[in-house]
Structure formats: structure tokens, C-alpha cells
Amino acid sequence: MTSGAAPLVELRGITKRFGSLLANDAIDLSVDAGQVLALLGENGAGKSTLTRILYGLSRADAGEIRIAGQPVTMTSPADALAAGIGMVTQEFTLVGPMTVTENLMLAGSPLGRIDRKAARARVLAASQRLGVPVDPDAVVERLSVGERQRVEILKALLGDCRLLVLDEPTAVLVPADVDLLFASIRRLTADGMAVVFISHKLHEVVDLADRIGVLRRGRLVADLPAEGLDPVAIAALMVGAAGPADAELPDDVVDEALATAVGLDGAAPSATAAPVDRARPAALEVSGLTLAGDPRPRLDDVSLTVRAGEIVGVAGVSGNGQTELVAALCGTTPATAGTVHVGGAEVTGLDVAARLKAGLGRLTEDRRGSVVLGMSVEQNLVLEDLDRFRTGPFLSRRRVRAHAEALIERFDIRAAPGDPIRSLSGGNMQKVLLARALERDPTVLVASQPTRGLDVGACQYVYTQLRALRDAGSGVLLVSEDLDELIGIADRIVVLSGGRLVGEVAAADATREALGVLMTGSREYAA
Amino acid sequence: MRFVLRSREPRWLPAAAAGLAIVATLALTAGPIRLAGAAPVSAFERYVVTPLTTGNGIAEVLLAATPLLFTGLAVAIAFRVGYYNIGAEGQFLAGAMATTAVALALPDLPTAAALPLALVGGAFGGVAWAFLPAFLRRRAGIDEVVTTLLLNPVAVLLLQGLLNGPWRNPDTGFPDSATFADGYRLPALFGSRVHAGLLVGLVLVAVTAVVLRATPLGVRLRAAGQSPAAAEFSGVKVGLLQWRSALVSGGLAGLGGASQVLGVQHQLTGSLAAGYGYTGVVVATLGGLSAVGVLAVALLLGDVQVGAQGASIALQLPSQMGGVLTSVLLLTVVAALSVRHYRLVRRSPRAVGG
């Protein structure tokens, strides 16, 4: 850190409370011009809260923000922009049908006549500053996620931006786009801009950051120069000595969690898996699955087999047919052509209830969309199997309660049977869904992004359950955008691009780079 | 000050919200009652308490509540699954017309055959009127709010057309149907005007309450209404449930129409289009879409309706004042029901940067 001159942006004693939860506890943090500060921490550690306060989206209960030594009041993003702070959040705020230039004009538009030419020139100038070409006349909804993110960054740069805040920018990107993003960040910092960068991925952070701040349960537990840091120690700081907040796990699981978080033994879990015997029965057999779409099919002749006792990963950049594949397998969207067999029985034309009966289990990325939020934990636990809990024509409350209590015990769900499910944390809600799916001993489990948004402890819990299911002889189809997750847990990985399967690799041989090439190298993705 | 969504509801909250709504209703209607020249307190007493002080008054309240039981249940069942049937009015009238058709076509049937046939006919009339919107919703995704609502005036016009045409009273020449044969009279209860339709309604309330609360079907209906996508994901056939509930809803409303002509009027008249179906929406909403709630609110509205007639005589208040009272109650209850999901938070003092 520089001595003498005041840092570009300085947070002093920032405290924010949500009810009984202390989201930020007297946080002191500063960033100098030309510096990249990485903020690390589990979900719920307070990273997003802190950046929201910095960008004026939320107000601290106590503490102050100083810019170049001067205290400032931040009551809205407009104040933050005026103070030279720009932010790109995880949710993009672009108007799809408009062009890049039009979107950027919306952001900073003063009243009066619109000068399209000047706006276009400003877009070109800003994209030059970023070092990545952006077509100012491209319509946003036709851009890839990486390109949209660049537009968001341009939007933040348009004002007199001196500090750029990026909230998990790499979560949605393919490896090639991550490289471009990092090149852009380096270019911007070379120009004297400061960047605050939130990430879960330690190896990225080691590459990019000058300094690393680690948050845990609202407190800043480390603020270190990035150079020469020990990733294992950082990971230990992230999850804390007492273990992850959401689950009290045995030590070996925590060790594994730490190792996975730092990417040291990402491939180790699969090494324990027995090589899959081709003679084993197919748990899930998909043949020629096609879902028509305009202008091209959303799923195009997808064929794959998941054998009993194996985990097959599906890799792909978001929006390349994963959602459609899962919906077609679950029966919520009827396929145009092709067949699906579960455990040898055809389920192609069947509805959801019949597929469940045939042995299909589901775990989707949309947790809150998989439960009825207005109902209790126990009602959600039995919703798929109501008829099993009937006494005569009536639902037996006693048996429902007993069943729920047993599952809560077995899956370590932190809730009472009668609690409204809406009040559960993401990790706990996922446990409810896992319990509901696994309790039926599914022949095959289709799991889509089962760890998205979960903290390290809850992720490990999900992995442990998926592995246990595989070892018990079920098949698992794991759809994920997290390559480390796929390489770490799957036995084989297939790659979906533009609605087609474009490749398959054994997890033991898979590398991020190889998968990345498959994910982006098809005809579809030409940025 | 700002509103923040509650994560959990304390137990006392619904009761407190209802109490608040009643207090607000009394406060809001006191002004108009005063303007109409009566003392609010004695007026409220007339509306709510007086009808319950005499045996005859109670009978009149039960009589007024009877059709509301049917239409309230009809709306509640449909709303529960997320099928917004605003057409109970038309289905009620269609049921009454179907019952009349049976009664006029087969005047000589004995009671034991005539009443069941006429009631079933009425239910089918309601189902028939509910069929088209439900079919369009299921097959083509056409919004049922619009179609069910717009079929209501069609039913009124059909009623008037029939009464002015083929069913015009042959004896008087008035636009009322002929009086039904004696076999088509629902028996009176307690020697008053209250008729067996009330019993039918109470049985339906009990059956509905049990189905909604204690059966797998009830849980599925609730899930389908609250989160259709999540319910579908869990294997609940939301579209099918909505389709069936729509038809059951129409049948219940039609049965209400049958009960009214068989129990009260003993003929079909134009006065039957008195908004029972629309009031059913009020009953269902105020009753929280539960069967017991429908029963309670139907009795309350019956009470106020009878009280309003008394108040118009005793206090010279316009009889519409009863409608004002129930309408204000609807608004305050709906407001209280939505506000109870939030809590009021004093904005925290500006801390950042002073």
C-alpha cells in the first residue's frame, strides 16, 4: 500500500445489520489507484452487502466512505457514479432489443436532443480503453454472455470511473472469456483505475489480484498482499477454523472442502471411482432427443447413456441447451422427437408424475421454483408422494410428520417440519430437495447446477450425497457450468453446445482448457 | 418509514389484521351514515345485532345467506387452484334456468324424483355455463377472467329472453315463469321461510372443508394455486385440476341457482339476477378461500343484508347503505390481508458519510 497519499477509496468501520444478522461488522478496507482488490468469502460472508453499500444500493448503519480522503455520502448509484465508482452486478441490466449504443445512452442520458453519433463514438472510445472490440450497433439480445458483460463494463466506464466493482464476473463466463476479462482488467489498472473483484475461485484471484481481502460472517478476517500467498491458508480463513457456517462437518470433509476450493486435488475424488463397467444396465438412455426451436432447434439429436453407478457430467456455456435438456428429461417440456428410457422403461411421452414413478429423480438449478413457497417444509417433502401418506381418503398428518422428521434427521435439514419453506436458507432448501429426490431411491438423478449459490460446506454436502447415490448403484446426470465441479465429481463429461452434444471426455483426462475448447469451439459460438 | 417483507408470520397476525379491518370499516362508514342523518353506533347495531335478536330475524339471515354459501364456495374452489372464475353470476342463473326447464317439462313427477332431478339439472346448467371458458383456458390458454365475466350478461339476457318469450307466465302475462308444481318445492325448515337448500349448502361446506384440509387433493389444489410451476414440477397436473375445479365451481353455482328457485321463488323471475354470483366473489375473498370462512362470511353478509332492510325502515337510512358497509369491509380486509405480509420499519438513520 502506498504511504503518504490517501487511498483512492477508503471504507472505515462499515457496519450493516439485517435484523439479527450482522452482515458487515466494522469493516475497514481501502483500494489504491491501479490496484486490484479481490474480495473472497463464502456465500453470506458479506461481500455483496459491502459492494452494495459502496455502490449506494444499500446504506450502512455505521461507518463512512472516503474518496481521495474526502468523506462522501452515498444514497444511490447516481451518487456512486458521480464519485467515480462503477459496478457490474451478477444480474445484467441491459435492454435486450436495443443496440449497445442505445443501452449506453440510457445509462448516462441527459435530457434534450440525443446525439447518436457522439454516443457511438464514446462507445468505441470506451471499448478501446477496455482493449476488446465491441460492436456499438450490435443488438444486445443477440450477444453472448461474455459480450453482454463487456457492455455492462463499458456502461460502468462511461462516466468518470476510477473504481470498478465486479461482483462474481467470472461465474457466467467460459475460460476464453475469462482470459479476455482479465486482460481488460489489467489494461484498466495500468491506466490507473482501481478494481474490486469478488470471486469464489482462488486460483483466479491469485492470477489477478494485488491484494486480497477475506470476509467471514461479516468480518474482515484477512487483508493481505496477493503475492506469494498460501491458498490453503486463505481457504482456511474463508471457511473458518470452526467449519462452514451452514453445516457442522467432520474434519475430513472440511479438509476436502478446502482442497476443492483451492483446486489442489480437484481430480482426486474421481480417482476413487471404479471404472464404469460397460455391461452395467443403463439408468438413463436418451436417444435422438430433439426440441424444435426458432430459428434452430434448441436441442438437436442429443443421445447419451448414463449407466448405473456412474456420474455423467454435462458441460456447456449457459444457454446452450442445458435448461431444455433438463426440462425435456423431467417431462415439463415435451420433446419434439427422440426417446428417453429410465431403467430400461420408456418414459418419453409420460408426464412428470409417471416419470417420478419410473425412477427419475430431479434436482434443478431453480430451487425456489421447485418448492411451493407458501407451504411448509413437510408439505413440500411429501408433495410428490401424497398418495403414499393416505389413510383411506385422508392424508395422515401423523405419518406425514413422521416421514418429514425422519428425512430432516437423515439429511440434517436445519428446520422444523412445520416451518414455512420460504424461511429456509439456500443450502437448507437444497437439502429438502435432495431429501425429496433421494428418499425415493431414484434409478437416475438429473441434477442441474445443484451447487449454484451454495457455500463451500453446503456444496460439499451435495457432492457427498451425489457420490453416495452413485456408489449405491444409481446413475447421476450432472449438468453444471462449473468445470472444476464436473472434473472433480463426474466419471465422464459430455459437452453441450448449441443444443448438440459436441464431445465426450473421461473425467480423469479432462482439463479445463480441453473442455473450454469443446464448449466454445463449435459452429455456434463465434464472438 | 418503509415496508419490509416478513419472513415469518406471527400467530396473532391474521386475527389482528381482521380486527384492524373491522375497526377501519366502522371508522370509514361512520361518516356516510352520519351524512345520511343517523347515529353511526345505533346504525351499526341495527345492521349487525338487531337481526339476530328475534327468531324471525335469524331465519331471514339464514335465508339470505343460503345462496351466498353456494356462490362463495364456487368461487373459493376455483380461486384456490388459480382459476379465476368471475362467472358465478352467470352459472347461478344458468342453473336456475336449467332447473326451471326440468320443472316446466316434467310437472307431474313426485317430489322424491322431482327434487333430485331438478337439483342435478341445476348443477348441470352451471357446469354447462362454465364449460366454454374452462375449455378455452385449457385448450388455448385464453384468460378465464375475461370470458367468465363476459358470459354473465349473456346469462342475464338469456333469462330475460326466456321470460319474455317461451316461458312468459300463461296466467298473468308477466315476464315470470309459471309457478312450479308442488313436487318442486324444497321443504321448509323450522316453520319459517328457510328451506332445505340451506342444508345442502351446509353439507357442501363440510365436504369442501374436509377435502381441502385433510386429503391429498386439498394439498394438490393449494400447491397448484400458489405455485403452478412448482406444483407441475412435483407431478401435480395443474391444468387438469384447474379444468375440473372450474367445472365443479360452475356446478356449485348452478346448484345455488336451483336451490333459490326451488326453495324461495318457486318460479323463475327476473329478480333472480341480483348479484349473488358477484357477492360470491366477495364471500370467497373475505373468507380467505376456505370453506369455513365462506360459511362465516355468508352469514355475516346475510346478517348485514337483513339489518340493512330494518335500518332503512327504522332509521330512514337508504337500503344501499348495507352494500356500502360490505363493500368497505371487502376493501379493508383485502388491504389488511396484503399489508400483513409486510412490517413497517423506521428508516435507519443515514450513517454513511454522515
Side-chain angles (χ1 to χ4, degrees):
Chain A
M1 284 166 271
T2 56
S3 55
L8 176 62
V9 175
E10 190 178 8
L11 303 174
R12 287 193 180 177
I14 295 289
T15 299
K16 176 78 184 176
R17 203 174 259 291
F18 295 107
S20 61
L21 177 79
L22 197 55
N24 284 164
D25 185 3
I27 289 178
D28 296 314
L29 204 56
S30 63
V31 202
D32 292 320
Q35 221 179 30
V36 176
L37 168 69
L39 276 184
L40 294 170
E42 288 190 285
N43 288 296
K47 307 179 302 275
S48 290
T49 307
L50 192 65
T51 49
R52 285 174 59 83
I53 289 170
L54 185 57
Y55 192 55
L57 285 166
S58 166
R59 242 176 295 177
D61 300 331
E64 65 172 8
I65 299 174
R66 285 168 178 256
I67 292 183
Q70 298 300 309
V72 289
T73 309
M74 223 79 91
T75 58
S76 71
D79 291 347
L81 288 170
I85 299 174
M87 176 157 162
V88 177
T89 57
Q90 291 180 56
E91 280 89 40
F92 296 164
T93 51
L94 297 172
V95 184
M98 288 189 170
T99 66
V100 172
T101 306
E102 285 165 340
N103 265 288
L104 298 194
M105 278 160 47
L106 279 178
S109 69
L111 292 173
R113 213 173 70 82
I114 293 168
D115 189 345
R116 236 165 239 280
K117 235 183 192 165
R120 200 169 173 280
R122 281 173 67 205
V123 174
L124 286 171
S127 90
Q128 206 135 45
R129 203 175 152 199
L130 202 60
V132 184
V134 174
D135 177 3
D137 303 317
V139 175
V140 165
E141 63 193 358
R142 300 210 191 107
L143 297 179
S144 73
V145 178
E147 289 169 317
R148 284 185 209 191
Q149 187 180 62
R150 266 165 242 151
V151 177
E152 282 284 358
I153 295 175
L154 286 187
K155 207 162 91 177
L157 291 180
L158 273 191
D160 177 26
C161 180
R162 288 181 290 169
L163 171 68
L164 182 62
V165 182
L166 301 170
D167 189 357
E168 287 199 48
T170 58
V172 291
L173 297 184
V174 291
D177 278 338
V178 172
D179 293 343
L180 276 177
L181 173 69
F182 284 7
S184 294
I185 291 176
R186 290 198 184 95
R187 213 178 147 103
L188 292 171
T189 49
D191 278 355
M193 181 177 290
V195 173
V196 173
F197 180 95
I198 293 184
S199 177
H200 284 305
K201 303 175 184 171
L202 279 180
H203 60 89
E204 283 179 5
V205 164
V206 178
D207 273 1
L208 187 71
D210 299 304
R211 264 178 52 223
I212 289 180
V214 181
L215 289 173
R216 178 154 52 89
R217 299 195 194 171
R219 294 182 43 211
L220 188 69
V221 294
D223 182 2
L224 316 159
E227 207 162 351
L229 61 72
D230 174 6
V232 178
I234 292 288
L237 284 169
M238 274 173 71
V239 295
D246 208 341
E248 283 153 21
L249 295 166
D251 283 347
D252 56 331
V253 178
V254 174
D255 288 345
E256 196 178 13
L258 298 183
T260 308
V262 289
L264 289 183
D265 74 343
S270 68
T272 65
V276 171
D277 183 354
R278 289 276 150 188
R280 280 195 195 176
L284 174 71
E285 197 159 15
V286 179
S287 172
L289 198 65
T290 299
L291 196 63
D294 187 36
R296 47 185 188 76
R298 289 184 288 158
L299 282 180
D300 191 359
D301 195 21
V302 172
S303 299
L304 61 88
T305 304
V306 180
R307 298 197 174 272
E310 74 167 341
I311 298 179
V312 175
V314 178
V317 179
S318 146
N320 274 276
Q322 295 98 321
T323 314
E324 289 81 359
L325 176 63
V326 171
L329 292 181
C330 292
T332 43
T333 308
T336 318
T339 58
V340 180
H341 288 76
V342 171
E346 176 154 10
V347 299
T348 312
L350 301 183
D351 62 20
V352 176
R355 283 174 197 233
L356 289 173
K357 208 159 263 163
L360 179 77
R362 298 95 25 93
L363 204 59
T364 75
E365 56 196 271
D366 182 13
R367 281 190 284 280
R368 295 178 74 81
S370 303
V371 296
V372 180
L373 286 171
M375 288 183 162
S376 64
V377 171
E378 63 180 344
Q379 281 171 323
N380 273 292
L381 277 172
V382 299
L383 190 57
E384 291 176 354
D385 281 293
L386 285 165
D387 290 320
R388 246 174 61 197
F389 301 96
R390 242 174 27 185
T391 307
F394 302 114
L395 194 63
S396 162
R397 276 166 206 255
R398 196 175 46 76
R399 279 164 56 204
V400 168
R401 177 60 55 101
H403 179 75
E405 275 167 354
L407 288 181
I408 283 172
E409 168 92 29
R410 180 175 149 203
F411 288 89
D412 191 29
I413 300 164
R414 303 294 163 90
D419 282 355
I421 197 146
R422 157 195 323 276
S423 68
L424 267 57
S425 70
N428 258 326
M429 208 182 274
Q430 188 69 314
K431 284 182 181 176
V432 170
L433 291 168
L434 260 172
R436 190 166 81 179
L438 298 188
E439 174 271 329
R440 313 172 60 115
D441 290 329
T443 309
V444 63
L445 178 74
V446 175
S448 173
Q449 319 273 13
T451 59
R452 177 183 274 182
L454 300 185
D455 62 38
V456 175
C459 285
Q460 279 309 314
Y461 182 87
V462 172
Y463 296 149
T464 310
Q465 292 289 342
L466 293 184
R467 288 196 191 104
L469 184 67
R470 171 196 53 198
D471 296 343
S474 296
V476 177
L477 186 72
L478 174 66
V479 179
S480 178
E481 283 161 27
D482 184 339
L483 294 183
D484 294 331
E485 172 173 301
L486 288 173
I487 294 171
I489 191 173
D491 301 301
R492 287 189 288 134
I493 300 173
V494 296
V495 179
L496 200 56
S497 176
R500 295 179 69 95
L501 284 186
V502 295
E504 177 184 330
V505 277
D509 311 333
T511 61
R512 298 175 52 81
E513 289 67 30
L515 288 173
V517 167
L518 282 172
M519 282 158 65
T520 59
S522 81
R523 61 202 172 110
E524 173 50 29
Y525 199 85
Chain B
M1 305 282 267
R2 66 211 162 96
F3 287 105
V4 178
L5 200 61
R6 285 178 194 275
S7 54
R8 278 165 198 246
E9 264 181 26
R11 272 171 200 281
W12 49 266
L13 199 67
L20 191 71
I22 289 171
V23 171
T25 303
L26 296 181
L28 286 169
T29 48
I33 289 172
R34 167 76 64 189
L35 282 178
V41 173
S42 59
F44 292 138
E45 192 189 339
R46 281 268 160 205
Y47 280 125
V48 183
V49 182
T50 312
L52 304 179
T53 53
T54 65
N56 187 45
I58 292 174
E60 286 300 308
V61 168
L62 293 177
L63 187 68
T66 302
L68 301 183
L69 280 183
F70 289 93
T71 56
L73 274 186
V75 174
I77 284 173
F79 277 30
R80 270 253 166 172
V81 264
Y83 181 88
Y84 292 95
N85 177 17
I86 315 290
E89 181 78 6
Q91 292 145 17
F92 181 89
L93 295 177
M97 287 186 271
T99 297
T100 305
V102 172
L104 295 182
L106 304 166
D108 301 326
L109 282 185
T111 303
L115 279 181
L117 190 65
L119 286 170
V120 169
F124 270 103
V127 171
W129 212 252
F131 178 84
L132 193 62
F135 181 79
L136 290 176
R137 162 75 187 263
R138 184 151 166 74
R139 292 285 156 217
I142 292 172
D143 185 41
E144 75 280 5
V145 173
V146 176
T147 48
T148 53
L149 179 67
L150 290 184
L151 276 175
N152 290 340
V154 176
V156 175
L157 289 172
L158 180 62
L159 174 72
Q160 289 168 353
L162 286 172
L163 291 180
N164 283 293
W167 287 351
R168 185 186 285 272
N169 193 310
D171 303 327
T172 64
F174 286 128
D176 299 325
S177 78
T179 303
F180 298 164
D182 286 345
Y184 290 92
R185 278 179 175 264
L186 280 170
L189 303 177
F190 325 122
S192 66
R193 291 173 66 210
V194 181
H195 55 87
L198 176 68
L199 297 182
V200 178
L202 289 176
V203 168
L204 289 173
V205 166
V207 169
T208 309
V210 169
V211 168
L212 288 183
R213 279 183 181 201
T215 66
L217 177 63
V219 178
R220 290 201 182 98
L221 290 171
R222 244 182 82 194
Q226 287 185 350
S227 312
E232 192 78 54
F233 178 80
S234 296
V236 176
K237 290 161 190 152
V238 176
L240 189 67
L241 280 184
Q242 287 182 334
W243 156 257
R244 288 183 182 164
S245 299
L247 297 184
V248 168
S249 170
L252 284 172
L255 205 53
S259 142
Q260 199 68 0
V261 290
L262 295 171
V264 181
Q265 297 184 316
H266 310 299
Q267 62 173 170
L268 189 65
T269 73
S271 68
L272 200 65
Y276 295 115
Y278 294 117
T279 310
V281 179
V282 177
V283 172
T285 310
L286 281 181
L289 306 187
S290 81
V292 176
V294 164
L295 174 63
V297 175
L299 289 173
L300 174 69
L301 294 196
D303 182 28
V304 172
Q305 192 183 316
V306 174
Q309 290 159 7
S312 69
I313 296 162
L315 302 174
Q316 274 80 52
L317 277 173
S319 59
Q320 289 88 340
M321 197 59 81
V324 171
L325 198 66
T326 50
S327 306
V328 172
L329 187 64
L330 174 70
L331 294 176
T332 57
V333 167
V334 169
L337 286 181
S338 41
V339 165
R340 77 169 207 221
H341 296 306
Y342 297 87
R343 61 202 167 88
L344 200 57
V345 175
R346 274 235 302 278
R347 202 179 258 292
S348 49
R350 295 190 174 190
V352 177

